[in-house]
């Protein structure tokens, strides 16, 4: 998996951009993956592990009414977490993970429901909804891979091209 982390960090460093991460279900695994790459400090600013819902609100600035209405496992929550990480940690890009790794459902959401999001300097961000299978460890590992892939896609410009194709605006 560190291949994706290396690519993300290389793209960021090549553009003199920085990254911050907000994690819930992954509990620091995204940050660990990024910092396993030599030279990560050129671009990686840090992370907030906001496992508790009140931390998502109080530290990352996620809207309290949104959390009350939809719970912490939600696409808009993931987007606000990514934007909050950017702001709180002073980075150009933010990435976030939130979801249910198990073993029990949470807030009416089944195990394997995951949202990963990125927010950059020139867009409102992008979120991907995932329905993952496997053990708790498998779900967390796949969440890390998925958020790094989404970030890589957005940094390389592929995300915008895919959106255009899906909307039929080519």
């Amino acid at each position: 998996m560190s291949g994706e982390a290396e690519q993300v960090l290389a793209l960021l460093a090549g553009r003199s951009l920085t990254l911050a991460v907000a994690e819930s279900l992954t509990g620091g695994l995204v940050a660990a993956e990024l910092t396993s790459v030599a030279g990560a400090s050129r671009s990686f600013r840090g992370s907030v592990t906001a496992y508790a819902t009140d931390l998502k609100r109080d530290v990352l600035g996620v809207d309290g009414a949104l959390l009350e209405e939809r719970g912490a496992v939600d696409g808009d929550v993931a987007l606000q977490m990514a934007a909050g990480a950017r702001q709180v940690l002073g980075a150009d890009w933010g990435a976030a993970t939130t979801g249910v790794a198990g073993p029990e459902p949470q807030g009416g959401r089944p195990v394997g429901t995951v949202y990963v999001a990125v927010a950059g300097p020139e867009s409102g961000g992008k979120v991907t909804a995932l329905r993952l299978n496997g053990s708790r460890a498998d779900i967390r590992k796949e969440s890390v891979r998925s958020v790094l892939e989404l970030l890589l896609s957005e940094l390389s410009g592929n995300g915008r091209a895919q959106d255009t194709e899906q909307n039929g605006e080519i």
Side-chain angles (χ1 to χ4, degrees):
M1 192 176 346
S2 62
E4 285 118 353
E6 287 178 17
Q7 291 175 52
V8 163
L9 291 167
L11 282 171
L12 289 166
R15 300 174 187 164
S16 298
L17 296 173
T18 57
L19 171 65
V21 176
E23 301 186 63
S24 187
L25 85 149
T26 50
L29 294 175
V30 177
E33 190 68 23
L34 290 164
T35 58
S36 72
V37 177
S41 61
R42 285 193 297 270
S43 298
F44 183 61
R45 298 261 314 144
S47 66
V48 173
T49 300
Y51 214 62
T53 300
D54 62 316
L55 292 179
K56 292 173 181 70
R57 180 191 64 230
D58 297 344
V59 175
L60 294 171
V62 176
D63 182 83
L66 174 65
L67 288 166
E68 190 71 30
E69 178 183 326
R70 299 190 202 164
V73 181
D74 179 79
D76 290 333
V77 170
L79 280 171
Q80 288 187 20
M81 287 173 64
R86 280 187 69 217
Q87 182 176 358
V88 169
L89 299 173
D92 299 300
W93 283 86
T97 64
T98 188
V100 184
E104 300 295 325
Q106 175 187 330
R109 302 288 187 144
V111 172
T113 303
V114 175
Y115 295 90
V116 297
V118 297
E122 298 174 11
S123 73
K126 184 160 186 176
V127 65
T128 300
L130 305 169
R131 299 296 178 260
L132 304 176
N133 296 310
S135 68
R136 179 177 172 81
D138 292 339
I139 291 168
R140 294 173 77 215
K141 183 177 179 182
E142 183 61 22
S143 298
V144 172
R145 190 191 66 73
S146 295
V147 77
L148 291 174
E149 277 191 356
L150 179 59
L151 187 55
L152 188 58
S153 176
E154 289 299 294
L155 286 168
S156 62
N158 295 337
R160 285 181 290 284
Q162 289 171 354
D163 285 347
T164 301
E165 292 173 17
Q166 290 173 355
N167 292 331
E169 300 172 357
I170 297 179

